[in-house]
Amino acid sequence: MPFHRFVEIGRVALVNYGADTGKLCTILDVIDQNRVLIDGPFPVTGVKRQQIPIRWLALTDFKVHIGRATRNKALVKAFNGSAITTKFAQSAFGKKLAAKTKRAAMTDFDRFKVMLAKKKRSVLINQELAKLKKAQAKK
Amino acid sequence: RGITTWSWLFECCSLSEASRGEKMTIHQFQVVGRGIPTEKNPNPKLYRMKLFAPNQVVAKSRFWYFLSQIHKLKKTSGQILACHEINEEHPDIVKNYGVWIKYNSRTGTHNMYKEYRDTTINGAVEKMYADMASRHRARFSSIQIVKAEIVPASAVKRPYTLQFINHKIKFPIPHRVQRVSSKSLRSTFVASRPSTFS
């Protein structure tokens, strides 16, 4: 089972713990077995330049082409150049995350709408299922 | 008072919720002192030390500890002229720090050279104290820092530090234990074993 996501310079990760939970960041340098130096970049994702334990990160599939410990301006250019924010939002990971935050922010009215939509969907499914059963019974 | 001696001791030693189990945060101070001017010696020599201590109080105390070892000067016969904190010049880049120490073990006193990778010298010195405490049971008071400075990558000695000096460093997380972002989301029981593949 080969690994596809690595802790490396330029790897985009999601912060899973601490004050910046849920924000994307880029790994700028590896300090240690357990710690890395990250930066949002701050103007793009809101994560300041800091040390962070690897345990607090979730690696994504995306990588930015930068050198070791790039400065802010070059990092923003590389990050936006690779369109990481949009690419991440379109990825499966990003979509799941968006769905989770949406679900957590649902009001009772939203839940009501979801209930109605689920009912409609199950009606359609059952109609199709009835057709298939009928076709099977005829055989 | 109707309480046992152990619980009384615990109450005396207990720390606040926030500080219990936290590492001591180290700061670097520059302390300048001299002997108190007398008629015989109206302009005593100034002595300056760069120290690592948790706060200014300890810094000043350590200043006198070292000064009295080297010169015929002590707190009662001297005065501290300045005690300023020295801040890190470039806290946003990772550097290799070499720390030269002299420490007292239970049976003797030894010199050591240790290396740490960190963004600040304060962080490296904190790591050193934690490392010495865990590996050699040496406490803050038994350790004297002879020198703590940035070591260029070409001069790094320890294999543990050397393996991270690589601009193309790349490693996977073979066994990733996902950490829950908040206690309320933690579940004691789960239906299926979590995947540790990253």
Coordinates of all heavy atoms in Angstrom, one line a residue, chain B residues 47-96:
Chain B
Y47 N 29.6 44.3 34.8 CA 29.6 42.9 34.3 C 28.2 42.6 33.6 O 27.2 43.0 34.2 CB 29.8 41.9 35.4 CG 31.1 42.0 36.1 CD1 31.2 42.6 37.3 CD2 32.3 41.6 35.4 CE1 32.5 42.8 37.9 CE2 33.5 41.8 36.0 CZ 33.6 42.4 37.3 OH 34.8 42.6 37.9
R48 N 28.3 42.0 32.5 CA 27.1 41.7 31.7 C 27.0 40.2 31.5 O 27.9 39.5 31.1 CB 27.1 42.4 30.4 CG 25.9 42.2 29.5 CD 26.1 42.7 28.1 NE 26.8 41.7 27.3 CZ 26.4 41.3 26.1 NH1 25.4 41.9 25.6 NH2 27.1 40.4 25.5
M49 N 25.7 39.7 31.7 CA 25.5 38.3 31.4 C 24.3 38.1 30.6 O 23.3 38.8 30.8 CB 25.3 37.5 32.7 CG 26.5 36.9 33.3 SD 26.1 35.7 34.5 CE 26.1 34.3 33.4
K50 N 24.3 37.2 29.7 CA 23.1 36.8 28.9 C 22.7 35.4 29.5 O 23.4 34.4 29.5 CB 23.4 36.6 27.4 CG 23.6 38.0 26.8 CD 23.2 38.0 25.3 CE 24.3 37.3 24.5 NZ 24.0 37.5 23.0
L51 N 21.5 35.4 30.1 CA 21.0 34.2 30.8 C 19.7 33.7 30.2 O 19.0 34.5 29.6 CB 20.7 34.6 32.2 CG 21.7 35.2 33.2 CD1 20.9 35.8 34.3 CD2 22.6 34.1 33.7
F52 N 19.4 32.5 30.6 CA 18.1 31.9 30.2 C 17.4 31.7 31.6 O 17.9 31.0 32.4 CB 18.2 30.6 29.5 CG 18.7 30.9 28.1 CD1 20.1 30.7 27.8 CD2 17.9 31.2 27.1 CE1 20.6 30.9 26.5 CE2 18.4 31.4 25.8 CZ 19.7 31.3 25.5
A53 N 16.2 32.2 31.7 CA 15.5 32.1 33.0 C 14.0 32.2 32.7 O 13.6 32.8 31.7 CB 15.9 33.1 34.0
P54 N 13.1 31.7 33.6 CA 11.7 31.8 33.3 C 11.2 33.3 33.4 O 10.2 33.6 32.8 CB 11.0 30.9 34.4 CG 12.1 30.2 35.0 CD 13.4 30.8 34.7
N55 N 11.8 34.1 34.3 CA 11.4 35.4 34.5 C 12.5 36.3 35.0 O 13.6 35.8 35.2 CB 10.2 35.5 35.5 CG 10.5 34.8 36.8 OD1 11.5 35.1 37.4 ND2 9.7 33.8 37.1
Q56 N 12.3 37.6 35.1 CA 13.3 38.5 35.5 C 13.9 38.3 36.9 O 15.0 38.4 37.2 CB 12.8 40.0 35.5 CG 12.6 40.5 34.1 CD 12.7 42.0 34.1 OE1 12.9 42.7 35.1 NE2 12.4 42.6 32.9
V57 N 13.0 37.8 37.8 CA 13.4 37.6 39.2 C 14.4 36.5 39.2 O 15.5 36.6 39.8 CB 12.2 37.2 40.0 CG1 12.6 36.8 41.4 CG2 11.1 38.3 40.0
V58 N 14.1 35.4 38.5 CA 15.1 34.3 38.5 C 16.4 34.7 37.7 O 17.5 34.3 38.1 CB 14.4 33.0 37.8 CG1 15.4 31.9 37.8 CG2 13.2 32.6 38.6
A59 N 16.2 35.5 36.7 CA 17.4 35.9 35.9 C 18.3 36.7 36.8 O 19.5 36.5 36.8 CB 16.9 36.8 34.8
K60 N 17.8 37.6 37.6 CA 18.7 38.4 38.5 C 19.3 37.5 39.5 O 20.5 37.7 39.9 CB 17.8 39.5 39.2 CG 17.4 40.6 38.3 CD 16.5 41.6 39.0 CE 15.8 42.5 38.0 NZ 14.8 43.3 38.7
S61 N 18.6 36.6 40.0 CA 19.1 35.6 41.0 C 20.2 34.8 40.5 O 21.3 34.6 41.1 CB 18.0 34.7 41.5 OG 18.5 33.7 42.4
R62 N 20.0 34.3 39.2 CA 21.1 33.5 38.6 C 22.3 34.4 38.3 O 23.4 33.9 38.3 CB 20.5 32.9 37.3 CG 19.5 31.8 37.5 CD 20.0 30.6 38.3 NE 20.6 29.6 37.5 CZ 21.3 28.5 38.0 NH1 21.3 28.4 39.3 NH2 21.8 27.7 37.1
F63 N 22.1 35.6 38.0 CA 23.2 36.6 37.7 C 24.1 36.6 38.9 O 25.3 36.5 38.8 CB 22.6 38.0 37.4 CG 23.7 39.0 37.3 CD1 24.4 39.1 36.1 CD2 23.9 39.9 38.3 CE1 25.4 40.1 35.9 CE2 24.9 40.9 38.1 CZ 25.6 41.0 37.0
W64 N 23.5 36.8 40.1 CA 24.4 36.8 41.3 C 25.0 35.4 41.6 O 26.1 35.4 42.1 CB 23.5 37.3 42.5 CG 23.1 38.7 42.4 CD1 21.9 39.2 42.5 CD2 24.0 39.8 42.3 NE1 21.9 40.6 42.4 CE2 23.2 41.0 42.2 CE3 25.4 39.9 42.1 CZ2 23.8 42.3 42.0 CZ3 26.0 41.2 42.0 CH2 25.1 42.4 41.9
Y65 N 24.3 34.4 41.3 CA 24.8 33.0 41.5 C 26.1 32.9 40.7 O 27.1 32.4 41.2 CB 23.8 32.0 41.1 CG 24.2 30.6 40.8 CD1 24.6 29.7 41.9 CD2 24.4 30.1 39.5 CE1 25.0 28.5 41.6 CE2 24.8 28.8 39.3 CZ 25.1 28.0 40.3 OH 25.6 26.7 40.1
F66 N 26.0 33.3 39.4 CA 27.2 33.1 38.5 C 28.3 34.1 38.9 O 29.5 33.8 38.9 CB 26.9 33.3 37.1 CG 26.1 32.1 36.5 CD1 24.8 32.2 36.1 CD2 26.8 30.9 36.4 CE1 24.2 31.1 35.5 CE2 26.1 29.8 35.9 CZ 24.8 29.9 35.5
L67 N 27.9 35.4 39.1 CA 28.9 36.4 39.4 C 29.7 36.1 40.7 O 30.9 36.2 40.7 CB 28.1 37.7 39.7 CG 28.3 38.8 38.7 CD1 29.7 39.4 38.7 CD2 28.1 38.3 37.3
S68 N 29.0 35.6 41.7 CA 29.7 35.3 43.0 C 30.7 34.1 42.8 O 31.6 33.9 43.6 CB 28.8 35.1 44.1 OG 27.8 34.1 43.8
Q69 N 30.4 33.2 41.8 CA 31.3 32.1 41.5 C 32.6 32.6 40.9 O 33.7 32.1 41.0 CB 30.7 31.1 40.6 CG 29.7 30.2 41.2 CD 29.2 29.1 40.3 OE1 29.5 29.0 39.2 NE2 28.4 28.2 40.9
I70 N 32.5 33.7 40.0 CA 33.6 34.2 39.3 C 34.3 35.3 39.9 O 35.6 35.4 39.9 CB 33.1 34.6 37.9 CG1 32.3 33.5 37.2 CG2 34.3 35.0 37.0 CD1 31.5 33.9 36.0
H71 N 33.6 36.2 40.5 CA 34.2 37.4 41.1 C 33.8 37.5 42.6 O 32.9 36.9 43.1 CB 33.7 38.7 40.4 CG 34.1 38.7 39.0 ND1 35.4 38.9 38.5 CD2 33.4 38.6 37.8 CE1 35.4 38.8 37.2 NE2 34.2 38.7 36.8
K72 N 34.6 38.4 43.3 CA 34.3 38.6 44.7 C 33.2 39.7 44.8 O 33.4 40.8 45.1 CB 35.6 39.1 45.4 CG 35.6 38.8 46.8 CD 36.6 37.7 47.1 CE 36.8 37.5 48.6 NZ 35.8 36.6 49.2
L73 N 32.0 39.2 44.4 CA 30.8 40.1 44.3 C 29.6 39.3 44.6 O 29.4 38.2 44.2 CB 30.7 40.7 42.9 CG 29.8 41.8 42.6 CD1 30.2 43.0 43.5 CD2 29.9 42.2 41.2
K74 N 28.7 39.9 45.5 CA 27.5 39.3 45.8 C 26.3 40.3 45.8 O 26.6 41.5 45.7 CB 27.5 38.4 47.0 CG 28.1 39.1 48.3 CD 28.2 38.2 49.4 CE 28.4 38.9 50.7 NZ 28.5 38.0 51.9
K75 N 25.1 39.7 46.0 CA 23.9 40.6 45.9 C 24.0 41.8 46.9 O 23.6 42.9 46.5 CB 22.7 39.7 46.1 CG 21.4 40.4 45.8 CD 20.2 39.5 45.9 CE 18.9 40.2 45.7 NZ 17.8 39.3 46.0
T76 N 24.4 41.5 48.1 CA 24.4 42.6 49.1 C 25.5 43.6 48.8 O 25.3 44.8 49.2 CB 24.7 42.0 50.5 OG1 25.8 41.1 50.4 CG2 23.5 41.2 51.0
S77 N 26.5 43.2 48.1 CA 27.6 44.2 47.8 C 27.5 44.8 46.4 O 28.4 45.5 46.0 CB 29.0 43.6 48.1 OG 29.1 42.5 47.1
G78 N 26.4 44.4 45.7 CA 26.4 44.9 44.3 C 25.0 45.4 44.0 O 24.1 45.5 44.8
Q79 N 24.9 45.8 42.8 CA 23.6 46.4 42.3 C 23.4 46.0 40.8 O 24.3 45.9 40.1 CB 23.5 47.9 42.4 CG 24.6 48.6 41.7 CD 24.7 50.1 41.9 OE1 25.4 50.8 41.2 NE2 24.0 50.6 42.9
I80 N 22.1 45.7 40.5 CA 21.8 45.4 39.1 C 21.4 46.6 38.4 O 20.5 47.4 38.9 CB 20.7 44.3 39.0 CG1 21.4 42.9 39.5 CG2 20.1 44.2 37.6 CD1 20.5 41.7 39.3
L81 N 22.0 46.9 37.3 CA 21.7 48.2 36.6 C 20.7 48.0 35.5 O 19.9 48.9 35.2 CB 23.0 48.7 36.0 CG 24.1 49.0 37.0 CD1 25.4 49.4 36.2 CD2 23.7 50.1 37.9
A82 N 20.7 46.8 34.9 CA 19.7 46.6 33.9 C 19.4 45.1 33.8 O 20.2 44.2 34.0 CB 20.2 47.0 32.5
C83 N 18.1 44.8 33.4 CA 17.7 43.4 33.2 C 16.6 43.5 32.1 O 15.5 43.8 32.3 CB 17.1 42.8 34.5 SG 16.5 41.1 34.2
H84 N 17.1 43.3 30.9 CA 16.2 43.4 29.7 C 16.0 42.0 29.1 O 16.9 41.2 29.0 CB 16.8 44.3 28.6 CG 17.1 45.7 29.2 ND1 16.1 46.5 29.7 CD2 18.3 46.3 29.3 CE1 16.7 47.6 30.1 NE2 18.0 47.6 29.8
E85 N 14.8 41.8 28.5 CA 14.6 40.6 27.8 C 15.2 40.7 26.4 O 15.1 41.7 25.7 CB 13.1 40.2 27.7 CG 12.9 38.8 27.1 CD 11.5 38.3 27.2 OE1 10.7 38.9 28.0 OE2 11.3 37.3 26.6
I86 N 15.8 39.6 25.9 CA 16.3 39.6 24.5 C 15.4 38.8 23.7 O 15.1 37.6 24.0 CB 17.7 39.0 24.5 CG1 18.7 39.7 25.3 CG2 18.3 38.9 23.0 CD1 20.0 39.0 25.5
N87 N 14.8 39.4 22.6 CA 13.9 38.7 21.8 C 14.5 38.1 20.6 O 15.6 38.5 20.2 CB 12.8 39.7 21.3 CG 11.9 40.2 22.5 OD1 11.4 39.3 23.3 ND2 11.7 41.4 22.6
E88 N 13.9 37.1 20.0 CA 14.4 36.4 18.9 C 14.4 37.3 17.7 O 13.4 37.9 17.4 CB 13.6 35.1 18.7 CG 14.0 34.2 17.5 CD 15.4 33.6 17.8 OE1 15.6 33.2 19.0 OE2 16.1 33.4 16.9
E89 N 15.5 37.3 16.9 CA 15.6 38.1 15.7 C 14.8 37.6 14.6 O 14.1 38.3 13.9 CB 17.1 38.1 15.3 CG 17.8 39.5 15.4 CD 19.1 39.4 14.7 OE1 20.1 38.9 15.4 OE2 19.2 39.9 13.6
H90 N 14.8 36.3 14.4 CA 14.1 35.7 13.2 C 13.3 34.5 13.7 O 13.7 33.3 13.5 CB 15.0 35.3 12.1 CG 15.8 36.4 11.5 ND1 15.1 37.4 10.7 CD2 17.0 36.8 11.6 CE1 16.0 38.3 10.3 NE2 17.2 37.9 10.8
P91 N 12.2 34.7 14.4 CA 11.4 33.6 14.9 C 10.6 32.8 13.8 O 9.9 31.8 14.1 CB 10.4 34.2 15.9 CG 10.2 35.6 15.4 CD 11.5 36.0 14.7
D92 N 10.8 33.2 12.6 CA 10.0 32.6 11.5 C 10.8 31.6 10.6 O 10.3 31.2 9.6 CB 9.2 33.6 10.7 CG 10.2 34.7 10.3 OD1 11.3 34.7 10.7 OD2 9.7 35.7 9.6
I93 N 12.0 31.4 11.0 CA 12.8 30.3 10.3 C 13.4 29.3 11.2 O 13.7 29.6 12.4 CB 13.9 30.9 9.4 CG1 14.7 32.0 10.2 CG2 13.4 31.5 8.1 CD1 15.9 32.4 9.5
V94 N 13.5 28.1 10.7 CA 14.0 27.0 11.6 C 15.5 27.0 11.6 O 16.1 27.2 10.5 CB 13.5 25.6 11.1 CG1 13.9 24.5 12.0 CG2 12.0 25.6 10.9
K95 N 16.1 26.9 12.8 CA 17.5 27.0 12.9 C 18.0 25.8 13.7 O 17.2 25.2 14.4 CB 17.9 28.3 13.6 CG 17.5 29.5 12.8 CD 17.7 30.8 13.5 CE 16.6 31.0 14.6 NZ 15.4 31.6 14.0
N96 N 19.3 25.5 13.6 CA 19.9 24.4 14.4 C 20.6 25.0 15.5 O 21.5 25.8 15.3 CB 20.8 23.6 13.5 CG 20.2 23.1 12.2 OD1 19.2 22.4 12.3 ND2 20.6 23.6 11.1

